[in-house]
Every structure is written in structure tokens, then in C-alpha cells.
Amino acid sequence: MWRLVTSLTALVSTSKSSTLNQPASTSKIWKSFTTEMARHGISSHDCTPFITFVLGGPGSGKGTQCAKIVDTFGFKHLSAGDLLRREIASNSEYGSTILNTIKEGRIVPSAVTVKLIQREMESSDNHKFLIDGFPRSEENRIAFERIMGAEPNIVLFFDCPEEEMVKRVLSRNQGRVDDNLDTIKKRLKVFEALNLPVINYYAEKGKLYKKPICADQCIRNRR
Ligand code: C5P
Ligand code: MG
């Protein structure tokens, strides 16, 4: 179940169950999300952007869950990591800097990432945005607020145990330059040092919904 979190002390994995494989429409985990959207009174005719940030460590399931939210609620999904990888593939002027930063598990300068997000948001007909893997740092968050002049309506956080994240990343075989043990360790350190403060910030603002993700191990043990 999604839980509204108002302090960092509550950001600890506690769940004994996982509903990860259920379709979003039938899963109870989306009830709070739907309620929040209704509270903001968004409809398909509404032109005011409704911004959802989706946070979680590497391999916590952000992309998988975003695909379900898109299917169910019709959001425009923007993955910051995918936008950066696309920039590398397009041989842009920032390509090699982005590639080196990703290989090191570090955070790409916010001006670059926010510009990519801004371009996608401004060229979209959709007004409901699911921005995945962003903001990764306070610098990301502040740059977004400054450049876009907007804050998220809600923030989702997939709280997954570290060993489960490592296992998932090492087994997902997507050919990514950063899906190796060395870089994963760096990414986890960066997540803890730079992303947790952002998560705490949104918790204190009453905008954070946390979904604890249980390790596969827990599921197997219950069968
Ligand atoms: O979210 P994803 O795992 O696809 O991100 C891959 C990498 O892209 C991150 O480890 C980081 O190097 C970079 N990234 C970033 N800033 C973001 C999102 C991703 O620098 N906001
Ligand atoms: Mg992703």
C-alpha cells in the first residue's frame, strides 16, 4: 500500500508483501495515487501540468511501474536516464560528458538534464507528466523549480532493499554501461548521499508516497 510519508524516519523498508506484478488498475497500491489526482481535480481537459516525480534506487522498479501508471492513467512518461542515454546516442555536444558521468555513476549537471526534460514537456500534448529518476539531487530539484517554475504535485518513492536492487540490476541484461557491480556500488552511494535528502524534502512537504518493495526472496518464502 502507498503510504504518505512525512519524515525521513519513516523511510525504512517494512513491507512483507509485493504487488509489483499486478496490473495497476486492479492493484490497491494505486488507490492513494488516484485519490491524490482527484484531490488536485485533474481531468483530461485540464491544461495545468500535473507533475509526478518517481524516485527510487537503481533497479527499484521505477520504469516497470511507470509503464503501468501510463497504461492506467495516461501519463506522459519521461525517464531522465533514458533522455540522457538518447542524448549520448544522438552524438550531441554533451554526449561524451554524459557518458563518462553515467559510467561513474555520478549525476549529470542539472542544466543539461532539466533542458532535456523541459524540451519533452513543452513539446507534449499531454499535461500529466511522470518524470522518472528525477530529481536525483538537491541541485536537480532546485534547477527544475527555477527553470520550469513548477513543483511536483506528488512524488512516488519505491523503497527497495539494497541487495535486491543489486540483484535486479545485475540480472536485467539491458546492455547498459553502468549495470556492473563497480558502478552499481557507486550509484548506491550517490543515491544515499544525494537522493535521500530530496526524498526527505518531499516527505517534509507532505508530497511523498512511499511504496516499500519486498525482495523476491520474501515472496518465495511465503509460497
Ligand atoms: O535512472 P537511471 O538508472 O536510468 O539513470 C542512469 C544514470 O543516469 C544515473 O546513474 C546517472 O548517472 C544519470 N542520471 C543523472 N541525473 C538524473 C537521472 C539519471 O545524472 N536525474
Ligand atoms: Mg529507468
Side-chain angles (χ1 to χ4, degrees):
M1 185 60 129
W2 285 106
R3 265 199 312 132
L4 180 63
V5 178
T6 49
S7 81
L8 189 61
T9 48
L11 300 180
V12 178
S13 300
T14 50
S15 177
K16 295 273 185 289
S17 66
S18 172
T19 45
L20 260 188
N21 295 322
Q22 293 177 18
S25 54
T26 60
S27 169
K28 280 186 194 161
I29 66 167
W30 305 113
K31 204 172 155 209
S32 321
F33 186 39
T34 317
T35 309
E36 195 62 26
M37 283 169 57
R39 199 166 71 81
H40 287 275
I42 68 163
S43 74
S44 53
H45 307 297
D46 197 343
C47 289
T48 314
F50 183 91
I51 299 170
T52 300
F53 286 155
V54 183
L55 302 178
S60 59
K62 300 185 294 294
T64 310
Q65 296 303 313
C66 282
K68 293 178 182 181
I69 296 172
V70 167
D71 280 353
T72 309
F73 300 109
F75 275 68
K76 167 84 176 167
H77 176 210
L78 301 177
S79 155
D82 286 351
L83 293 176
L84 292 169
R85 284 183 284 274
R86 207 165 77 190
E87 201 62 9
I88 297 170
S90 72
N91 291 320
S92 90
E93 54 174 317
Y94 304 117
S96 63
T97 312
I98 298 173
L99 177 61
N100 290 332
T101 309
I102 288 181
K103 274 185 183 164
E104 284 300 310
R106 289 182 285 107
I107 305 299
V108 173
S110 300
V112 173
T113 315
V114 174
K115 206 165 132 190
L116 296 175
I117 294 172
Q118 181 181 30
R119 195 165 69 193
E120 295 296 313
M121 288 179 78
E122 289 180 355
S123 63
S124 175
D125 292 337
N126 200 329
H127 300 288
K128 292 181 284 178
F129 297 100
L130 204 51
I131 305 180
D132 148 14
F134 186 93
R136 282 289 233 279
S137 62
E138 282 288 277
E139 194 221 357
N140 265 189
R141 177 183 71 72
I142 292 162
F144 183 90
E145 285 174 13
R146 182 173 47 80
I147 295 168
M148 302 300 296
E151 287 190 22
N153 297 85
I154 52 175
V155 179
L156 308 182
F157 170 40
F158 296 100
D159 185 20
C160 188
E162 224 173 86
E163 56 179 22
E164 175 67 9
M165 292 196 274
V166 174
K167 201 169 71 183
R168 289 180 183 186
V169 171
L170 289 179
S171 63
R172 69 185 173 189
N173 250 333
Q174 292 174 346
R176 280 174 50 168
V177 291
D178 54 349
D179 280 355
N180 57 77
L181 195 53
D182 241 28
T183 314
I184 294 165
K185 283 184 188 161
K186 292 177 186 164
R187 288 159 71 192
L188 287 170
K189 278 196 183 136
V190 167
F191 173 71
E192 209 176 306
L194 301 185
N195 214 338
L196 283 184
V198 177
I199 289 165
N200 186 34
Y201 173 85
Y202 289 124
E204 281 168 1
K205 284 203 116 187
K207 291 190 172 188
L208 190 81
Y209 285 83
K210 180 177 92 152
K211 169 79 177 84
I213 303 295
C214 188
D216 288 351
Q217 192 66 38
C218 305
I219 301 166
R220 278 203 297 275
N221 287 346
R222 286 202 320 275
R223 280 186 185 139

